[in-house]
Amino acid sequence: MTSISKRASKTLAVECPLNKALMQVIHKLQHPEFNPQGALNLGLAHNDLLHEKVFKKVLCQQCLQIEPNDVNYGAPHGSQRLLGLLQLFFTKHFKPHYPLQSDHIFTQTGAGASVNQLIMSIADEGDYCMLPGPYYGAFDLDISVHTGVNIIEVFPHELVDTTIDGDELERVYQQAKSEGKKITCILVTNPDNPLGRCYSQQDIETFLKFASMHNLHLIFDEIYALSSFSHLIETCKQDPFQSVLSVNYKDFIDPTLVHVIYGMSKDFAVNGFRVGFIIDQFNEPLRLALIRSAGFSYTSTIMDRLLSNLFSDEIWIDEYLQENRQLLAETYVKTTQFLSENNIDFIPGEAGPFFMIDIRSIVRRNHNREATFDDENQIWHNMITHGVYLAPGFVFHSQVPGFFRLTFALPWKTLEHGLNIMLKSFNI
């Protein structure tokens, strides 16, 4: 007799290169200032640009409050006050085409938990979720742990040009179908992780039409929605991000199939708060199921009040988001100038705290051949040995070796130090 269930055994068998790689270096990333063998963290998706501003708002301006009633149960998926404030927030910043109501929103303990709870409610054990790659590596766990849902990778666009090829989506779907694999949903990250780029409305419509053709649930993870910045650098351009909520998606698909994930970790730089949201506008049975399962991703009374106090200050929210975007733009410009001056190639970013650097030309210069995943792995270990951590492309299931995700949303003095360490690891 085994000591765990078959379900738990299947969970342990789920492969997650990102998690495996992180566990190798996590001890180096914790308090590197006190650890002589530590490494600067330029690999995880974090934003350190406005921590003081957020800290001051949460503590000094009394967003964080504890009251006697907090020892009692609150609303698992968010109080009426919080959901009403979130409805106003999403309406203002995501510009939904169809009026958004407070009961369309479900608060969860993080975007990862949101993905997991949503997958649990729309797909059955043995089903498959299609993931456009390269993709955020933790989706391996978010989608599959305890759900029994598997992943089908698809690569419908180039690394530099993210225009979606609908024919490639269809080819992969038909191949899976011929192998007896039942795809029931597709998960799209917009803005993209790890590329830091946004899908156009045409791309969004391509996803909608494809999902509609095969009656697939279509999930848009929009956790970096309000961290777009390229339009602040090239002011002649518009904001590159567009939410699927802003699209008249009933023209393309059964609206009960469209769902959105959001969270506080990235745009608001509070990874440790563990707050995520599921938005569903038209699927009432799904919403009832999410209410039923809300107790397994319970929003604490203390966090509920903190968020309510935060979102009630609309002026602060607007000022913060604008300042964050401006700092992202300024730091991105400094970072890409540094890379260009040192002959490091990169894929231009548009949103989020990261973008991809391309070290293939370095391998060609040093070894007179094309880069391999062994090269990528060796350079990654060289970086860690020298004292800096970047996320290698293989943890995002990249098909092309020689790429690393670089997180640039740090104070420039710290970031510049990390970039110089990175150069040494390249033997430049």
Side-chain angles (χ1 to χ4, degrees):
M1 179 180 291
T2 59
S3 59
I4 59 175
S5 67
K6 292 179 181 179
R7 185 186 303 107
S9 295
K10 290 179 181 178
T11 289
L12 293 177
V14 173
E15 292 289 333
C16 182
L18 184 148
N19 184 259
K20 183 178 180 180
L22 184 59
M23 290 303 101
Q24 293 181 49
V25 299
I26 192 68
H27 63 286
K28 292 179 176 287
L29 303 182
Q30 295 172 335
H31 306 293
E33 64 274 23
F34 305 118
N35 181 0
Q37 301 301 317
L40 281 174
N41 183 2
L42 305 187
L44 294 182
H46 60 107
N47 183 341
D48 295 353
L49 294 173
L50 285 173
H51 273 179
E52 284 298 319
K53 187 179 185 75
V54 174
F55 185 81
K56 181 179 179 182
K57 177 63 178 175
V58 170
L59 287 183
C60 301
Q61 297 180 24
Q62 297 185 330
C63 282
L64 178 60
Q65 300 171 328
I66 303 176
E67 297 182 359
N69 196 46
D70 289 332
V71 298
N72 296 319
Y73 289 114
H77 63 284
S79 66
Q80 284 302 308
R81 181 191 177 207
L82 174 58
L83 297 179
L85 290 165
L86 289 171
Q87 181 267 330
L88 295 174
F89 169 78
F90 286 116
T91 296
K92 180 173 184 177
H93 294 284
F94 287 63
K95 302 176 175 59
H97 181 85
Y98 305 107
L100 183 67
Q101 300 175 16
S102 60
D103 62 355
H104 297 163
I105 306 166
F106 299 83
T107 306
Q108 303 274 319
T109 52
S114 301
V115 171
N116 188 263
Q117 289 294 306
L118 184 55
I119 291 291
M120 186 75 80
S121 297
I122 63 175
D124 293 316
E125 184 173 4
D127 288 351
Y128 284 78
C129 176
M130 181 178 281
L131 268 178
Y135 62 82
Y136 169 51
F139 281 154
D140 292 332
L141 302 180
D142 296 342
I143 289 171
S144 298
V145 168
H146 289 163
T147 68
V149 175
N150 306 297
I151 292 172
I152 290 281
E153 298 178 8
V154 60
F155 295 87
H157 60 73
E158 302 294 331
L159 290 177
V160 177
D161 180 3
T162 54
T163 302
I164 296 300
D165 181 355
D167 291 338
E168 181 61 13
L169 294 174
E170 184 64 20
R171 185 193 69 78
V172 171
Y173 178 86
Q174 293 300 336
Q175 176 66 31
K177 185 178 179 180
S178 71
E179 296 170 357
K181 297 174 180 177
K182 182 183 178 183
I183 299 176
T184 53
C185 53
I186 178 169
L187 172 56
V188 178
T189 306
N190 183 38
D192 182 88
N193 179 5
L195 296 175
R197 300 185 63 81
C198 299
Y199 291 115
S200 67
Q201 178 165 335
Q202 179 180 341
D203 294 326
I204 294 172
E205 291 176 3
T206 299
F207 282 123
L208 288 166
K209 293 173 184 176
F210 169 74
S212 177
M213 185 183 307
H214 301 293
N215 200 40
L216 306 180
H217 287 273
L218 177 56
I219 308 166
F220 275 88
D221 181 340
E222 299 183 346
I223 195 169
Y224 298 99
L226 306 181
S227 292
S228 53
F229 57 81
S230 60
H231 58 299
L232 301 180
I233 299 172
E234 298 183 63
T235 55
C236 60
K237 294 185 176 180
Q238 293 183 332
D239 186 341
F241 172 74
Q242 181 175 11
S243 172
V244 68
L245 294 173
S246 70
V247 176
N248 183 12
Y249 56 83
K250 281 186 180 180
D251 280 358
F252 303 97
I253 192 173
D254 175 354
T256 65
L257 296 172
V258 177
H259 325 286
V260 171
I261 300 290
Y262 185 66
M264 298 290 291
S265 294
K266 309 308 178 182
D267 291 340
F268 289 92
V270 287
N271 291 14
F273 280 21
R274 308 313 309 136
V275 180
F277 309 104
I278 300 171
I279 300 175
D280 179 273
Q281 292 185 287
F282 294 102
N283 193 326
E284 185 175 359
L286 172 61
R287 295 201 297 269
L288 291 173
L290 291 172
I291 291 173
R292 181 64 62 88
S293 64
F296 305 112
S297 188
Y298 213 112
T299 304
S300 74
T301 53
I302 298 170
M303 181 57 70
D304 192 295
R305 185 177 300 105
L306 186 158
L307 294 172
S308 296
N309 292 340
L310 180 66
F311 281 105
S312 67
D313 192 343
E314 186 178 346
I315 293 175
W316 187 92
I317 291 286
D318 291 350
E319 289 177 349
Y320 168 83
L321 291 172
Q322 181 59 31
E323 185 176 357
N324 183 53
R325 280 176 158 146
Q326 189 62 50
L327 285 175
L328 285 170
E330 292 172 5
T331 310
Y332 173 83
V333 169
K334 289 181 181 179
T335 306
T336 52
Q337 286 177 345
F338 178 99
L339 296 175
S340 296
E341 289 168 1
N342 288 279
N343 299 312
I344 306 297
D345 299 326
F346 59 91
I347 299 174
E350 298 177 315
F354 48 67
F355 59 92
M356 296 289 273
I357 65 169
D358 178 357
I359 54 87
R360 293 177 298 175
S361 62
I362 296 172
V363 173
R364 284 194 290 269
R365 285 201 304 269
N366 291 349
H367 302 289
N368 195 31
R369 58 173 173 77
E370 294 302 312
T372 66
F373 281 112
D374 285 340
D375 294 320
E376 182 177 292
N377 190 55
Q378 182 60 55
I379 291 173
W380 178 57
H381 282 286
N382 287 348
M383 289 183 192
I384 296 167
T385 299
H386 281 81
V388 66
Y389 170 71
L390 273 70
F394 67 79
V395 305
F396 306 108
H397 299 260
S398 175
Q399 285 186 312
V400 183
F403 289 86
F404 289 83
R405 192 184 71 178
L406 167 66
T407 296
F408 66 90
L410 290 85
W412 177 245
K413 184 176 180 181
T414 301
L415 178 60
E416 185 179 29
H417 177 58
L419 292 172
N420 278 306
I421 295 174
M422 180 188 74
L423 291 183
K424 293 178 182 178
S425 70
F426 294 156
N427 297 317
I428 296 177

